[in-house]
Amino acid sequence: MLTLYHNDMSACAQKVRFVLAVKQLEWQSEELNLRQGDQQRPEYLKINPKGLVPALEHDGNILVESNIIVDYLDEAFPEPSLMPETPLKRAKVRWWMKKLDDGLHLELAALSFGIAYRIQLLDACKGDINLVEKHLNAIPDAYMRDVQRQVMTDGMGSPRFDRAVNEFAKLIEELDAELAGHKWIGSDSMSLADIAFAPYATRLEHLHLSAMWHHKPHFKDWYERLKRTEGYQQGLAGWFNPKYLELMDRAGAEAWPNISAMLD
Ligand SMILES: N[C@@H](CCC(=O)N[C@@H](CS)C(=O)NCC(=O)O)C(=O)O
């Protein structure tokens, strides 16, 4: 029995749902409202002490960290395999995925909060800055707490925000070069790496930033192909939250002139 603790728009949860869909696994959904602080409740902190989604329960065992969860699912449910056949290609897939844990995921949080999620959090706290502070102080993960605090305070004016924009511009450049040589990231068949990056391209698109890859034909083609897969449709598109989409589109369109000026 599989139970996923997740959120409809969380990038890391999207990645896991994509894999569950590709493998056609049945799972039970436990959805958390991240702006209302469900992830900070004591019951959930017993599942993931970092107060982050996703977490997966499989036959009574808890797994956290989305890259570890998808790797586990690929081993526990090997068909269809989402890792390439050779050790070298598997190493490449892992190398790409590691980038997310090495910092890119926090850059995404900086972009998302800096442009749109800060508005949601302020609304959830009814504009009361003390309640916002309380929510931020209760984030157990120090790295996530710092990022959110910096962009909650200074928004797009934060140096943290500028860095995030440029880290993503660099990633798109690198992926475009990678995809010039392979149909998929690191190999010629879709793997965990493609699935891991799908939510990041999606978030950028939702935040009105897809102009960042207008002149990156390989990246653009990869993303369009990925979106047409059944796994993407079920694991991501099927869960899109219209309220988030509306906010991200509106706030992203307003932010774009500032953001394009930040691009080196
Ligand atoms: N490295 C973790 C990151 C998980 C993470 O950052 N999750 C976000 C949603 S994508 C979260 O739960 N945020 C809670 C919050 O904003 O307080 C993973 O890959 O699972």
Side-chain angles (χ1 to χ4, degrees):
M1 159 82 147
L2 291 162
T3 303
L4 183 66
Y5 296 84
H6 67 132
N7 168 264
D8 46 13
M9 296 299 281
S10 143
C12 299
Q14 289 173 329
K15 181 198 304 184
V16 176
R17 288 198 305 263
F18 195 148
V19 171
L20 289 165
V22 171
K23 294 187 178 276
Q24 298 187 356
L25 296 168
E26 282 191 19
W27 54 282
Q28 197 177 308
S29 164
E30 289 287 341
E31 227 179 320
L32 283 79
N33 183 330
L34 303 181
R35 299 300 161 258
Q36 298 294 343
D38 290 351
Q39 73 280 23
Q40 298 176 354
R41 293 186 203 281
E43 319 77 274
Y44 187 67
L45 293 179
K46 281 189 205 142
I47 293 168
N48 185 355
K50 283 194 168 188
L52 300 171
V53 293
L56 181 78
E57 191 174 334
H58 183 207
D59 294 339
N61 298 300
I62 304 273
L63 290 109
V64 295
E65 287 297 327
S66 59
N67 278 350
I68 292 176
I69 295 173
V70 293
D71 203 32
Y72 171 81
L73 286 171
D74 198 48
E75 285 198 15
F77 305 95
E79 295 299 327
S81 171
L82 286 169
M83 281 300 250
E85 278 169 16
T86 68
L88 193 61
K89 285 183 179 161
R90 286 201 289 276
K92 269 194 102 179
V93 162
R94 293 195 177 100
W95 180 83
W96 278 102
M97 290 171 73
K98 187 172 181 294
K99 283 177 179 283
L100 298 172
D101 292 331
D102 282 351
L104 269 170
H105 179 66
L106 288 170
E107 305 300 352
L108 189 80
L111 278 186
S112 309
F113 276 89
I115 298 173
Y117 291 177
R118 67 200 292 266
I119 301 171
Q120 280 180 335
L121 192 52
L122 271 166
D123 279 356
C125 296
K126 301 191 171 45
D128 182 339
I129 221 68
N130 293 324
L131 284 181
V132 173
E133 253 317 290
K134 196 170 161 210
H135 177 93
L136 294 174
N137 284 336
I139 299 175
D141 184 79
Y143 299 100
M144 182 56 95
R145 187 167 64 237
D146 279 357
V147 170
Q148 289 193 29
R149 173 161 289 120
Q150 286 171 42
V151 290
M152 276 309 291
T153 312
D154 299 321
M156 287 188 286
S158 158
R160 195 68 194 66
F161 187 86
D162 190 304
R163 191 178 91 190
V165 169
N166 282 293
E167 282 298 310
F168 272 103
K170 195 168 104 201
L171 173 77
I172 292 166
E173 183 103 40
E174 286 171 2
L175 277 174
D176 192 60
E178 167 70 13
L179 291 159
H182 303 276
K183 200 170 165 204
W184 299 97
I185 301 174
S187 84
D188 290 318
S189 53
M190 187 178 81
S191 76
L192 291 181
D194 302 287
I195 294 177
F197 279 95
Y200 294 82
T202 300
R203 179 69 54 79
L204 297 182
E205 184 182 24
H206 288 167
L207 289 169
H208 229 84
L209 301 177
S210 56
M212 286 172 83
W213 57 84
H214 274 175
H215 302 295
K216 300 285 179 277
H218 308 293
F219 182 94
K220 192 171 168 186
D221 175 65
W222 163 82
Y223 181 45
E224 293 306 321
R225 261 185 289 123
L226 204 53
K227 284 201 281 189
R228 287 195 294 272
T229 63
E230 193 52 38
Y232 183 99
Q233 288 302 318
Q234 277 183 37
L236 277 79
W239 289 85
F240 287 161
N241 178 330
K243 281 191 184 155
Y244 273 62
L245 295 186
E246 190 279 325
L247 170 70
M248 288 195 280
D249 192 60
R250 182 166 42 82
E254 271 171 36
W256 174 248
N258 273 342
I259 294 172
S260 80
M262 279 174 204
L263 291 165
D264 290 339

